[in-house]
Amino acid sequence: MKAEIKGLGMYVPPRVLTNEDLEKILDTSDEWITTRTGIKERHIAEEWENASDLALPAAKEAIENAGLTPKDIECVIVATSTPDMTFPSTACFLADKLGCSKPMAFDISAACSGFIYALTIANSFIKSGQFKNVLVVGSEVFSKIIDWNDRSTAVIFGDGAGAAVVSASDGESDILAAVMKSDGSHWGSLYCPVGEKLKMRGRETFKLAIKSMETASKKALEKAGLTLDDIKLVIPHQANIRIIKALAERLELPEDKVFSNIHKYGNTSAASIPIAMYEAWKEGKFKKGDYLLLTAFGGGLTWGAIVLKF
Ligand code: UT7
Protein backbone atom coordinates (compact mmCIF):
# COMPACT_ATOMS: atom_id res chain seq x y z
CA MET A 1 0.00 0.00 0.00
CA LYS A 2 1.28 3.48 -0.91
CA ALA A 3 0.72 6.78 0.89
CA GLU A 4 -0.36 9.46 -1.54
CA ILE A 5 -0.67 13.16 -0.76
CA LYS A 6 -4.10 13.56 -2.26
CA GLY A 7 -5.02 17.12 -1.29
CA LEU A 8 -3.39 20.31 -0.03
CA GLY A 9 -4.79 23.45 1.63
CA MET A 10 -3.61 26.55 3.44
CA TYR A 11 -4.92 29.51 5.36
CA VAL A 12 -3.40 32.64 6.85
CA PRO A 13 -5.33 35.22 8.88
CA PRO A 14 -6.03 38.41 6.89
CA ARG A 15 -4.19 40.86 9.18
CA VAL A 16 -0.75 41.69 7.74
CA LEU A 17 2.12 43.07 9.82
CA THR A 18 4.81 44.63 7.63
CA ASN A 19 8.42 45.45 8.49
CA GLU A 20 7.41 49.12 8.39
CA ASP A 21 4.75 48.41 11.04
CA LEU A 22 7.44 46.79 13.21
CA GLU A 23 9.73 49.83 12.78
CA LYS A 24 7.08 51.79 14.70
CA ILE A 25 7.09 49.53 17.78
CA LEU A 26 10.66 48.18 17.89
CA ASP A 27 14.24 49.40 17.42
CA THR A 28 14.51 47.70 14.02
CA SER A 29 14.41 48.50 10.30
CA ASP A 30 12.99 47.06 7.11
CA GLU A 31 16.55 46.98 5.81
CA TRP A 32 17.83 44.84 8.74
CA ILE A 33 14.90 42.41 8.62
CA THR A 34 15.04 42.05 4.83
CA THR A 35 18.78 41.49 4.55
CA ARG A 36 19.11 39.28 7.67
CA THR A 37 15.98 37.15 7.20
CA GLY A 38 14.34 37.76 3.79
CA ILE A 39 11.04 38.58 5.52
CA LYS A 40 8.94 41.56 4.34
CA GLU A 41 5.65 40.82 6.09
CA ARG A 42 3.82 38.20 8.14
CA HIS A 43 0.17 37.45 8.99
CA ILE A 44 -1.08 37.80 12.55
CA ALA A 45 -4.15 36.10 14.06
CA GLU A 46 -6.82 38.04 15.93
CA GLU A 47 -7.02 37.74 19.72
CA TRP A 48 -9.90 35.24 19.49
CA GLU A 49 -8.30 33.09 16.76
CA ASN A 50 -6.62 29.87 17.86
CA ALA A 51 -4.62 27.22 16.03
CA SER A 52 -7.77 25.17 15.32
CA ASP A 53 -9.46 28.25 13.77
CA LEU A 54 -6.58 28.71 11.30
CA ALA A 55 -6.42 24.96 10.70
CA LEU A 56 -10.12 24.72 9.78
CA PRO A 57 -10.14 26.48 6.36
CA ALA A 58 -6.77 24.89 5.45
CA ALA A 59 -8.11 21.43 6.31
CA LYS A 60 -11.42 21.99 4.49
CA GLU A 61 -9.53 22.96 1.32
CA ALA A 62 -7.18 19.96 1.55
CA ILE A 63 -10.11 17.55 2.04
CA GLU A 64 -12.00 19.11 -0.87
CA ASN A 65 -8.92 18.98 -3.12
CA ALA A 66 -8.57 15.31 -2.22
CA GLY A 67 -12.12 14.74 -3.47
CA LEU A 68 -13.20 13.61 0.00
CA THR A 69 -15.51 14.82 2.76
CA PRO A 70 -14.68 15.23 6.49
CA LYS A 71 -16.56 11.95 7.12
CA ASP A 72 -13.86 10.09 5.16
CA ILE A 73 -11.09 11.23 7.53
CA GLU A 74 -10.20 8.48 10.00
CA CYS A 75 -7.32 10.24 11.73
CA VAL A 76 -6.48 13.91 12.37
CA ILE A 77 -2.94 14.88 13.36
CA VAL A 78 -2.17 18.52 14.16
CA ALA A 79 1.44 19.59 14.48
CA THR A 80 1.56 22.69 16.67
CA SER A 81 3.58 24.34 19.41
CA THR A 82 0.79 26.84 20.02
CA PRO A 83 -2.25 24.62 20.73
CA ASP A 84 -5.68 26.03 21.62
CA MET A 85 -5.35 24.44 25.08
CA THR A 86 -2.96 22.12 26.91
CA PHE A 87 -5.78 19.62 26.43
CA PRO A 88 -8.03 18.72 24.66
CA SER A 89 -5.78 18.52 21.63
CA THR A 90 -6.15 21.04 18.82
CA ALA A 91 -6.85 18.00 16.62
CA CYS A 92 -9.97 17.19 18.67
CA PHE A 93 -11.24 20.75 18.25
CA LEU A 94 -10.45 20.66 14.54
CA ALA A 95 -12.13 17.28 13.94
CA ASP A 96 -15.27 18.55 15.69
CA LYS A 97 -15.32 21.82 13.71
CA LEU A 98 -14.86 19.87 10.46
CA GLY A 99 -17.69 17.47 11.31
CA CYS A 100 -15.54 14.34 11.09
CA SER A 101 -16.97 10.99 12.24
CA LYS A 102 -15.11 10.43 15.52
CA PRO A 103 -11.60 9.98 14.09
CA MET A 104 -8.45 9.28 16.07
CA ALA A 105 -7.22 12.80 16.81
CA PHE A 106 -4.04 14.04 18.48
CA ASP A 107 -1.43 16.79 18.41
CA ILE A 108 2.28 16.38 18.05
CA SER A 109 4.89 18.75 19.41
CA ALA A 110 8.07 18.94 17.35
CA ALA A 111 8.24 22.72 16.82
CA CYS A 112 9.13 23.67 13.23
CA SER A 113 9.71 20.01 12.27
CA GLY A 114 6.14 19.17 13.36
CA PHE A 115 4.62 18.81 9.91
CA ILE A 116 7.21 16.39 8.57
CA TYR A 117 7.09 14.40 11.83
CA ALA A 118 3.29 14.21 11.45
CA LEU A 119 3.58 13.21 7.79
CA THR A 120 5.93 10.39 8.83
CA ILE A 121 3.34 9.15 11.35
CA ALA A 122 0.57 9.35 8.73
CA ASN A 123 2.73 7.38 6.29
CA SER A 124 3.19 4.62 8.86
CA PHE A 125 -0.54 4.50 9.64
CA ILE A 126 -1.32 4.12 5.95
CA LYS A 127 1.42 1.56 5.28
CA SER A 128 0.33 -0.56 8.26
CA GLY A 129 -3.25 -0.61 7.01
CA GLN A 130 -4.56 1.20 10.10
CA PHE A 131 -6.21 4.04 8.15
CA LYS A 132 -7.08 4.94 4.55
CA ASN A 133 -7.36 8.73 4.91
CA VAL A 134 -5.30 10.77 7.37
CA LEU A 135 -5.49 14.56 7.71
CA VAL A 136 -2.16 16.16 8.61
CA VAL A 137 -2.13 19.82 9.60
CA GLY A 138 0.55 22.28 10.71
CA SER A 139 -1.08 25.23 12.45
CA GLU A 140 0.53 27.94 14.53
CA VAL A 141 -0.29 31.20 16.29
CA PHE A 142 3.24 32.15 17.34
CA SER A 143 2.07 35.75 17.73
CA LYS A 144 0.63 34.60 21.09
CA ILE A 145 3.99 33.39 22.46
CA ILE A 146 6.17 36.17 21.02
CA ASP A 147 7.69 38.73 23.34
CA TRP A 148 6.76 41.83 21.33
CA ASN A 149 9.55 43.75 23.07
CA ASP A 150 12.24 41.34 21.85
CA ARG A 151 13.34 42.50 18.41
CA SER A 152 15.47 39.40 17.81
CA THR A 153 12.39 37.14 17.70
CA ALA A 154 9.38 39.44 17.14
CA VAL A 155 10.39 40.19 13.55
CA ILE A 156 10.76 36.55 12.55
CA PHE A 157 7.58 34.61 13.27
CA GLY A 158 4.11 34.67 11.73
CA ASP A 159 0.79 32.82 12.02
CA GLY A 160 -0.80 30.39 9.56
CA ALA A 161 -1.87 26.85 8.76
CA GLY A 162 -1.23 24.29 6.04
CA ALA A 163 -2.88 20.92 5.55
CA ALA A 164 -2.45 17.71 3.59
CA VAL A 165 -4.65 14.65 3.17
CA VAL A 166 -2.62 11.45 3.00
CA SER A 167 -4.52 8.52 1.49
CA ALA A 168 -3.91 4.85 0.83
CA SER A 169 -3.34 4.29 -2.85
CA ASP A 170 -2.08 1.65 -5.26
CA GLY A 171 -0.88 4.23 -7.77
CA GLU A 172 2.58 5.74 -8.30
CA SER A 173 2.48 8.47 -5.64
CA ASP A 174 4.10 7.61 -2.32
CA ILE A 175 6.03 8.84 0.69
CA LEU A 176 9.28 7.06 -0.11
CA ALA A 177 11.67 7.84 2.73
CA ALA A 178 11.69 9.71 6.01
CA VAL A 179 14.60 10.57 8.28
CA MET A 180 13.47 12.12 11.58
CA LYS A 181 15.91 13.15 14.31
CA SER A 182 16.15 14.98 17.64
CA ASP A 183 18.76 16.12 20.14
CA GLY A 184 17.35 17.37 23.43
CA SER A 185 20.78 18.47 24.66
CA HIS A 186 20.42 21.64 22.54
CA TRP A 187 16.98 22.52 23.98
CA GLY A 188 18.24 25.89 25.20
CA SER A 189 18.77 27.18 21.63
CA LEU A 190 15.05 27.63 21.11
CA TYR A 191 12.33 27.07 23.71
CA CYS A 192 9.15 28.36 25.30
CA PRO A 193 8.44 27.53 28.97
CA VAL A 194 4.76 26.81 29.75
CA GLY A 195 2.85 30.07 30.11
CA GLU A 196 5.87 32.16 29.12
CA LYS A 197 7.27 33.64 25.91
CA LEU A 198 9.55 32.13 23.25
CA LYS A 199 13.32 32.44 23.63
CA MET A 200 15.90 31.83 20.91
CA ARG A 201 19.66 31.94 20.54
CA GLY A 202 19.55 32.89 16.87
CA ARG A 203 23.13 32.49 15.76
CA GLU A 204 23.49 29.06 17.36
CA THR A 205 20.20 27.87 15.86
CA PHE A 206 21.23 29.21 12.45
CA LYS A 207 24.34 27.03 12.21
CA LEU A 208 22.66 23.88 13.54
CA ALA A 209 19.78 24.35 11.09
CA ILE A 210 21.91 24.29 7.96
CA LYS A 211 24.05 21.31 8.95
CA SER A 212 21.17 19.14 10.16
CA MET A 213 18.90 19.80 7.17
CA GLU A 214 21.80 19.03 4.81
CA THR A 215 22.59 15.73 6.55
CA ALA A 216 18.95 14.63 6.83
CA SER A 217 18.27 15.51 3.17
CA LYS A 218 21.20 13.42 1.97
CA LYS A 219 20.20 10.47 4.18
CA ALA A 220 16.56 10.60 3.02
CA LEU A 221 17.65 10.64 -0.63
CA GLU A 222 19.94 7.67 -0.03
CA LYS A 223 17.13 5.78 1.71
CA ALA A 224 14.82 6.49 -1.26
CA GLY A 225 17.51 5.37 -3.73
CA LEU A 226 17.39 8.75 -5.48
CA THR A 227 19.76 11.66 -6.09
CA LEU A 228 19.14 15.40 -6.10
CA ASP A 229 18.97 15.23 -9.91
CA ASP A 230 15.73 13.26 -9.54
CA ILE A 231 14.16 15.91 -7.30
CA LYS A 232 11.91 18.45 -8.97
CA LEU A 233 11.72 20.80 -5.98
CA VAL A 234 13.19 21.08 -2.49
CA ILE A 235 10.72 22.57 0.01
CA PRO A 236 12.61 23.59 3.15
CA HIS A 237 11.27 25.01 6.40
CA GLN A 238 11.02 28.79 5.98
CA ALA A 239 13.13 30.07 8.89
CA ASN A 240 15.50 32.48 7.19
CA ILE A 241 16.31 33.11 3.51
CA ARG A 242 20.02 32.94 4.38
CA ILE A 243 19.53 29.43 5.83
CA ILE A 244 17.66 28.39 2.66
CA LYS A 245 20.41 29.81 0.41
CA ALA A 246 23.17 28.20 2.46
CA LEU A 247 21.34 24.85 2.26
CA ALA A 248 21.01 25.20 -1.53
CA GLU A 249 24.74 25.93 -1.73
CA ARG A 250 25.70 22.94 0.42
CA LEU A 251 23.50 20.65 -1.66
CA GLU A 252 24.92 22.27 -4.83
CA LEU A 253 21.44 23.12 -6.03
CA PRO A 254 20.44 26.09 -8.17
CA GLU A 255 18.33 28.51 -6.12
CA ASP A 256 15.27 28.03 -8.36
CA LYS A 257 15.12 24.36 -7.32
CA VAL A 258 14.61 25.40 -3.69
CA PHE A 259 11.24 26.99 -2.91
CA SER A 260 10.84 30.03 -0.69
CA ASN A 261 7.90 32.23 0.25
CA ILE A 262 9.32 33.53 3.53
CA HIS A 263 9.01 37.17 2.37
CA LYS A 264 5.21 36.89 2.69
CA TYR A 265 4.74 34.84 5.85
CA GLY A 266 7.91 34.87 7.98
CA ASN A 267 8.56 31.70 9.96
CA THR A 268 5.23 29.96 10.61
CA SER A 269 6.92 27.01 12.37
CA ALA A 270 5.00 23.74 11.79
CA ALA A 271 2.82 25.47 9.17
CA SER A 272 5.73 26.63 7.01
CA ILE A 273 6.29 23.48 4.93
CA PRO A 274 2.61 22.77 4.11
CA ILE A 275 2.05 26.46 3.26
CA ALA A 276 5.15 26.46 1.01
CA MET A 277 4.12 23.15 -0.54
CA TYR A 278 0.63 24.46 -1.26
CA GLU A 279 1.92 27.65 -2.91
CA ALA A 280 4.56 25.84 -4.95
CA TRP A 281 1.88 23.42 -6.18
CA LYS A 282 -0.52 26.28 -7.03
CA GLU A 283 2.29 28.07 -8.91
CA GLY A 284 2.85 24.92 -10.99
CA LYS A 285 6.36 24.33 -9.64
CA PHE A 286 5.62 20.61 -9.40
CA LYS A 287 2.86 18.24 -10.50
CA LYS A 288 1.66 14.68 -10.02
CA GLY A 289 4.50 12.22 -10.41
CA ASP A 290 7.30 14.66 -9.47
CA TYR A 291 9.76 13.84 -6.68
CA LEU A 292 9.93 16.33 -3.81
CA LEU A 293 12.30 16.74 -0.89
CA LEU A 294 10.92 18.33 2.30
CA THR A 295 13.30 19.27 5.09
CA ALA A 296 12.82 21.03 8.40
CA PHE A 297 14.54 22.05 11.58
CA GLY A 298 13.29 23.44 14.87
CA GLY A 299 13.21 23.60 18.64
CA GLY A 300 13.93 20.37 20.48
CA LEU A 301 16.13 20.27 18.69
CA THR A 302 14.24 18.34 16.04
CA TRP A 303 14.96 17.95 12.34
CA GLY A 304 14.38 15.68 9.41
CA ALA A 305 13.71 15.18 5.73
CA ILE A 306 11.14 13.39 3.59
CA VAL A 307 11.43 12.25 -0.01
CA LEU A 308 8.12 11.66 -1.75
CA LYS A 309 6.60 11.15 -5.15
CA PHE A 310 3.72 13.58 -5.37
O1 UT7 B 1 12.45 27.94 12.89
C1 UT7 B 1 13.28 27.28 13.77
C2 UT7 B 1 14.65 27.64 13.77
N1 UT7 B 1 14.94 29.03 13.84
C3 UT7 B 1 15.93 29.47 13.10
O2 UT7 B 1 16.45 28.72 12.32
C4 UT7 B 1 16.42 30.90 13.31
C5 UT7 B 1 17.88 30.94 13.01
N2 UT7 B 1 18.50 32.21 13.26
C6 UT7 B 1 18.34 33.30 12.47
O3 UT7 B 1 17.57 33.27 11.53
C7 UT7 B 1 19.21 34.48 12.72
O4 UT7 B 1 20.20 34.15 13.67
C8 UT7 B 1 18.44 35.74 13.20
C9 UT7 B 1 17.62 36.30 12.06
C10 UT7 B 1 17.55 35.37 14.36
C11 UT7 B 1 19.43 36.83 13.63
O5 UT7 B 1 20.33 37.13 12.59
P1 UT7 B 1 21.88 37.18 12.88
O6 UT7 B 1 22.51 37.57 11.61
O7 UT7 B 1 22.28 35.87 13.47
O8 UT7 B 1 21.99 38.37 13.92
P2 UT7 B 1 22.59 38.36 15.37
O9 UT7 B 1 21.66 37.70 16.32
O10 UT7 B 1 24.00 37.89 15.34
O11 UT7 B 1 22.58 39.92 15.68
C12 UT7 B 1 23.37 40.83 14.91
C13 UT7 B 1 23.06 42.24 15.38
C14 UT7 B 1 23.10 42.40 16.90
O12 UT7 B 1 23.65 43.67 17.18
P3 UT7 B 1 25.21 43.83 17.59
O13 UT7 B 1 25.37 43.00 18.80
O14 UT7 B 1 25.97 43.35 16.41
O15 UT7 B 1 25.31 45.31 17.82
C15 UT7 B 1 21.66 42.37 17.29
O16 UT7 B 1 21.42 43.09 18.48
O17 UT7 B 1 21.74 42.61 14.98
C16 UT7 B 1 21.03 43.08 16.13
N3 UT7 B 1 19.60 42.75 15.94
C17 UT7 B 1 18.76 43.55 15.31
N4 UT7 B 1 18.88 44.75 14.75
C18 UT7 B 1 17.81 45.30 14.19
C19 UT7 B 1 18.96 41.62 16.32
N5 UT7 B 1 17.68 41.68 15.93
C20 UT7 B 1 17.52 42.87 15.32
C21 UT7 B 1 16.42 43.50 14.69
N6 UT7 B 1 16.62 44.71 14.15
N7 UT7 B 1 15.20 42.94 14.63
Side-chain angles (χ1 to χ4, degrees):
M1 191 51 70
K2 291 180 178 156
E4 174 184 12
I5 296 194
K6 229 177 160 186
L8 293 169
M10 72 165 273
Y11 178 76
V12 288
R15 184 147 65 103
V16 173
L17 186 70
T18 64
N19 291 350
E20 289 73 17
D21 295 330
L22 285 167
E23 283 177 351
K24 292 177 197 145
I25 55 167
L26 287 167
D27 178 17
T28 190
S29 64
D30 172 49
E31 200 264 332
W32 191 95
I33 303 169
T34 307
T35 54
R36 297 288 181 125
T37 71
I39 302 164
K40 295 301 280 183
E41 58 188 39
R42 67 288 290 144
H43 291 248
I44 303 291
E46 298 303 327
E47 198 66 39
W48 54 266
E49 266 176 321
N50 291 313
S52 69
D53 298 307
L54 302 192
L56 182 62
K60 274 187 180 165
E61 189 181 7
I63 293 168
E64 200 181 303
N65 283 335
L68 299 173
T69 74
K71 305 266 181 251
D72 299 313
I73 302 296
E74 297 154 294
C75 175
V76 177
I77 312 174
V78 175
T80 185
S81 298
T82 49
D84 295 24
M85 295 187 187
T86 302
F87 72 88
S89 68
T90 305
C92 278
F93 287 119
L94 176 62
D96 180 48
K97 287 174 185 177
L98 281 167
C100 295
S101 300
K102 301 183 174 52
M104 180 182 188
F106 62 98
D107 292 356
I108 67 141
S109 166
C112 305
S113 311
F115 183 78
I116 59 168
Y117 264 55
L119 209 51
T120 305
I121 298 167
N123 182 39
S124 301
F125 278 153
I126 300 279
K127 297 259 158 78
S128 68
Q130 181 84 31
F131 299 122
K132 286 198 166 51
N133 297 303
V134 180
L135 173 67
V136 180
V137 184
S139 186
E140 302 279 18
V141 282
F142 263 53
S143 60
K144 295 187 196 297
I145 57 162
I146 288 296
D147 175 355
W148 288 101
N149 296 310
D150 176 8
R151 67 176 182 173
S152 68
T153 53
V155 304
I156 290 171
F157 295 96
D159 300 337
V165 172
V166 188
S167 297
S169 143
D170 50 13
E172 286 288 298
S173 303
D174 197 12
I175 294 171
L176 299 166
V179 172
M180 295 298 133
K181 294 282 182 185
S182 75
D183 181 355
S185 72
H186 287 290
W187 70 270
S189 304
L190 179 51
Y191 63 102
C192 181
V194 174
E196 293 182 31
K197 300 293 180 194
L198 173 152
K199 293 173 183 62
M200 177 168 78
R201 292 202 288 261
R203 227 177 289 181
E204 197 176 300
T205 318
F206 191 98
K207 286 184 197 150
L208 290 164
I210 299 163
K211 182 78 207 138
S212 50
M213 287 196 288
E214 180 199 359
T215 312
S217 297
K218 286 178 175 164
K219 280 199 180 129
L221 281 166
E222 198 184 306
K223 221 170 151 181
L226 298 173
T227 71
L228 277 165
D229 290 338
D230 300 308
I231 300 294
K232 178 78 177 177
L233 193 67
V234 176
I235 303 173
H237 169 47
Q238 307 288 306
N240 186 319
I241 194 66
R242 290 187 292 138
I243 293 177
I244 294 169
K245 284 186 174 164
L247 180 69
E249 211 169 281
R250 294 239 192 152
L251 295 175
E252 293 174 28
L253 280 173
E255 271 179 30
D256 65 353
K257 219 171 161 175
V258 184
F259 188 76
S260 177
N261 59 1
I262 192 171
H263 56 290
K264 292 192 278 182
Y265 306 113
N267 179 346
T268 57
S269 192
S272 102
I273 287 192
I275 289 176
M277 199 170 167
Y278 175 90
E279 288 207 329
W281 169 64
K282 278 274 165 180
E283 288 170 24
K285 299 223 182 288
F286 66 86
K287 54 180 182 354
K288 256 301 139 275
D290 285 334
Y291 290 108
L292 302 178
L293 170 66
L294 317 179
T295 184
F297 174 89
L301 299 175
T302 57
W303 68 94
I306 284 181
V307 173
L308 62 90
K309 186 168 195 175
F310 189 73

